[in-house]
Amino acid sequence: MISVVLIGTGNVATHLFETFLAYDTINVVQVVGRSKESLSKFASKTATASLSGILKKADVYCLAVTDEAIPKLVASLKCVEGLIVHTSGTVPLSALTELAHTGVFYPLQTFTKNTPLNFRAIPICLEVKDPKDFKPLKFIAETISDRVYEITSEKRKKLHLAAVFANNFTNHLYGIASDICEESNVSFDILKPLIQETAFKINLLSPTDAQTGPARRNDIQTMQTHLDQLASKEQQQLYKLLSESIQKKYLNQE
Amino acid sequence: MISVVLIGTGNVATHLFETFLAYDTINVVQVVGRSKESLSKFASKTATASLSGILKKADVYCLAVTDEAIPKLVASLKCVEGLIVHTSGTVPLSALTELAHTGVFYPLQTFTKNTPLNFRAIPICLEVKDPKDFKPLKFIAETISDRVYEITSEKRKKLHLAAVFANNFTNHLYGIASDICEESNVSFDILKPLIQETAFKINLLSPTDAQTGPARRNDIQTMQTHLDQLASKEQQQLYKLLSESIQKKYLNQE
């Protein structure tokens, strides 16, 4: 049995809390948050405290807060004896350097309120300052997930950058597709199976081998027809730049 | 029972053929292709013929060929009595105008060789010149898929354009994410669950509501750090343009 104090009450904290609750071997002894209101949903299930309150003794203190809040919390954690980890993709481990036992517990996923997630499939990237601290962190990670990786701060930063392309930018392209459908009075639902299949395909083929479409075929005529159909300068610019990028990638491969 | 002659031997033709075979109510009486070699995989299961050969009598003639091949085939189909449909997302119905009974049977999906697909989930967009021809086409579509739509040529063109963003461009972003991982010696596998979740999320939230990330938060500092980390000018340009597009979209909503 490992004891955890969870600091934070947002999406990541809530998902972690619910997941930890499901396992007998992880005991969340306290949730710490800014306001009584934000703590209310945890209060019936464990002890809670404000940020200025007294922290309970625990094996691991898990900071599930915004990147900006991490350095501000460091001072208040100096007297803590356990392992202190943050859950950020971008903040280096060195941000916790003033503390004795530190690490990173970064679940690489997009967390949405009220949307249940299967944590077993979520990759968790771990890092510790002192190798001796790896064991408890790995225990927690492997209890809740089947995909646990040890990743340095430098690599985690790159992974987070890659995730911006694979998640944030991809979702924005879904948004543009949805806008085009709406402008033409076509239901965006028609595109949803294609979107699922595109994402599923990378489990079978590399994105390089899976690429299709007019830019891949260097089909200048279709690309020009598409450009003429796009309503905004911005959509046209994106279409051009993405197409050029695809053309350039495959030009050298033919 | 409805009889079909399938013209074409590529990915779409092969997937349609395998799917039709599974239903007793659709009888593929002939597959027509350019070469004996391309026809060989069909030859043990139905009659085959070359493009210059004699076409069998059928209720529906389905052109599963490239966009460029469609106008070239029109002349050779003039004496055919059945309904002639093409399967393209971009070619208008009017491309078949010289023929008597024409339509479009467009399955909106990305087809890959040797990758099985569940056709029941694939949207099929139908269009006919003469409303009387709608019934047999709808029968075939509804036999193999649960998502059948009647869509005009104009709307189908827009849908195809939207699909370029939702599929081709999205896959290219997966490729860039994969490149960033490779450059940093991080396994692209770590990103795959995030990619699946991003695609799955649009079934629960609109892309507009699902958007997250530094550009969405207008987090200038993280965006600058990301730009500094990107290896190529091209990746930087894409990062900038996509981020600006996201920022612009949400700026007016705050």
Side-chain angles (χ1 to χ4, degrees):
Chain A
M1 166 85 86
I2 201 158
S3 59
V4 176
V5 166
L6 199 53
I7 301 169
T9 56
N11 278 334
V12 178
T14 307
H15 279 288
L16 280 175
F17 180 73
E18 297 293 345
T19 305
F20 289 158
L21 268 194
Y23 296 94
D24 286 343
T25 48
I26 304 175
N27 183 19
V28 182
V29 294
Q30 192 179 37
V31 176
V32 179
R34 265 186 297 197
S35 67
K36 268 207 164 172
E37 202 193 336
S38 64
L39 287 164
S40 62
K41 61 182 163 185
F42 305 97
S44 66
K45 293 167 187 164
T46 190
T48 59
S50 73
L51 287 174
S52 56
I54 294 163
L55 294 181
K56 289 212 175 194
K57 226 175 131 63
D59 300 313
V60 176
Y61 294 77
C62 182
L63 301 177
V65 297
T66 62
D67 291 0
E68 299 71 44
I70 294 173
K72 291 176 202 159
L73 282 166
V74 167
S76 62
L77 293 165
K78 278 190 185 159
C79 42
V80 158
E81 271 178 36
L83 171 62
I84 300 162
V85 299
H86 74 64
T87 55
S88 162
T90 45
V91 175
L93 177 59
S94 59
L96 306 176
T97 200
E98 293 173 46
L99 305 169
H101 296 277
T102 60
V104 178
F105 184 96
Y106 170 49
L108 198 154
Q109 192 49 278
T110 166
F111 293 93
T112 314
K113 243 184 220 167
N114 305 326
T115 307
L117 272 176
N118 171 19
F119 239 102
R120 296 233 68 83
I122 297 180
I124 301 181
C125 303
L126 303 181
E127 186 181 11
V128 284
K129 185 162 66 176
D130 182 344
K132 282 179 212 149
D133 290 325
F134 193 62
K135 210 177 145 188
L137 206 57
K138 197 175 161 215
F139 175 82
I140 298 177
E142 290 186 341
T143 298
I144 64 171
S145 165
D146 297 324
R147 301 173 186 239
V148 177
Y149 301 86
E150 194 176 357
I151 299 272
T152 63
S153 287
E154 196 49 47
K155 287 189 177 180
R156 183 162 35 82
K157 233 167 82 179
K158 292 285 192 175
L159 202 52
H160 186 264
L161 173 58
V164 170
F165 281 89
N167 167 19
N168 304 154
F169 290 165
T170 289
N171 183 72
H172 186 56
L173 295 185
Y174 298 161
I176 293 173
S178 167
D179 291 345
I180 294 171
C181 286
E182 203 173 302
E183 284 155 26
S184 329
N185 269 315
V186 177
S187 166
F188 179 53
D189 285 348
I190 307 181
L191 281 180
K192 288 180 182 173
L194 177 69
I195 287 174
Q196 308 305 322
E197 178 67 18
T198 307
F200 178 70
K201 220 174 179 180
I202 53 155
N203 293 310
L204 310 168
L205 289 176
S206 74
T208 302
D209 290 334
Q211 190 67 52
T212 56
R216 171 68 183 93
R217 294 192 306 272
N218 211 12
D219 177 348
I220 310 287
Q221 202 189 321
T222 301
M223 287 190 274
Q224 191 52 55
T225 316
H226 281 167
L227 280 170
D228 295 342
Q229 280 183 80
L230 285 166
S232 78
K233 264 237 146 15
E234 197 186 311
Q235 289 176 353
Q236 287 175 349
Q237 267 186 318
L238 278 169
Y239 188 97
K240 259 193 189 166
L241 199 60
L242 284 159
S243 293
E244 280 165 13
S245 178
I246 295 171
Q247 286 173 289
K248 209 174 134 189
K249 176 169 178 173
Y250 292 92
L251 195 66
N252 305 325
Q253 289 185 13
E254 303 297 75
Chain B
M1 165 85 85
I2 200 158
S3 58
V4 176
V5 166
L6 200 54
I7 300 169
T9 56
N11 279 335
V12 178
T14 307
H15 280 288
L16 281 175
F17 180 73
E18 297 293 346
T19 305
F20 289 158
L21 267 194
Y23 296 95
D24 287 342
T25 47
I26 303 175
N27 183 19
V28 182
V29 293
Q30 191 180 36
V31 176
V32 179
R34 265 186 298 196
S35 66
K36 268 206 165 174
E37 203 193 337
S38 65
L39 287 165
S40 62
K41 61 181 163 185
F42 305 97
S44 66
K45 293 167 187 161
T46 190
T48 59
S50 73
L51 287 175
S52 56
I54 294 162
L55 294 180
K56 289 211 176 198
K57 226 175 129 67
D59 299 314
V60 176
Y61 293 76
C62 182
L63 301 177
V65 296
T66 61
D67 291 0
E68 299 73 41
I70 294 172
K72 292 175 201 159
L73 282 167
V74 167
S76 61
L77 293 166
K78 279 189 185 163
C79 42
V80 156
E81 272 178 34
L83 172 62
I84 300 163
V85 299
H86 74 64
T87 56
S88 162
T90 46
V91 175
L93 177 59
S94 59
L96 305 177
T97 200
E98 293 173 47
L99 305 169
H101 295 279
T102 61
V104 178
F105 184 95
Y106 169 49
L108 198 155
Q109 190 50 277
T110 167
F111 293 93
T112 315
K113 246 184 217 167
N114 306 324
T115 306
L117 272 176
N118 172 18
F119 239 102
R120 296 233 68 83
I122 298 180
I124 301 181
C125 304
L126 303 181
E127 186 182 11
V128 283
K129 187 162 64 176
D130 181 346
K132 282 180 210 149
D133 290 324
F134 193 62
K135 210 177 148 189
L137 206 57
K138 197 176 162 214
F139 175 82
I140 298 178
E142 290 186 342
T143 298
I144 65 170
S145 165
D146 297 325
R147 300 171 186 242
V148 178
Y149 300 88
E150 193 175 359
I151 300 272
T152 63
S153 287
E154 197 49 47
K155 287 188 177 181
R156 182 161 36 81
K157 231 166 86 178
K158 292 285 192 175
L159 203 52
H160 186 264
L161 172 58
V164 169
F165 281 89
N167 167 20
N168 305 155
F169 290 165
T170 289
N171 182 72
H172 185 55
L173 294 185
Y174 298 161
I176 293 174
S178 168
D179 291 345
I180 294 171
C181 286
E182 202 173 302
E183 284 156 26
S184 328
N185 268 317
V186 177
S187 166
F188 179 53
D189 285 348
I190 307 180
L191 280 181
K192 287 179 183 174
L194 177 69
I195 287 173
Q196 307 306 323
E197 179 66 17
T198 307
F200 178 71
K201 219 174 182 180
I202 53 155
N203 294 311
L204 310 168
L205 289 175
S206 75
T208 303
D209 291 334
Q211 190 66 50
T212 55
R216 171 67 184 92
R217 295 192 305 272
N218 212 11
D219 177 348
I220 310 288
Q221 203 188 320
T222 301
M223 286 190 273
Q224 191 53 55
T225 316
H226 281 168
L227 280 171
D228 295 341
Q229 280 184 79
L230 285 167
S232 77
K233 264 238 145 17
E234 196 187 311
Q235 288 176 354
Q236 287 175 350
Q237 268 186 319
L238 277 171
Y239 188 97
K240 258 192 188 167
L241 198 60
L242 284 159
S243 293
E244 281 165 12
S245 178
I246 295 170
Q247 287 173 288
K248 209 174 134 189
K249 176 169 178 173
Y250 292 92
L251 195 66
N252 306 325
Q253 289 185 13
E254 303 296 73

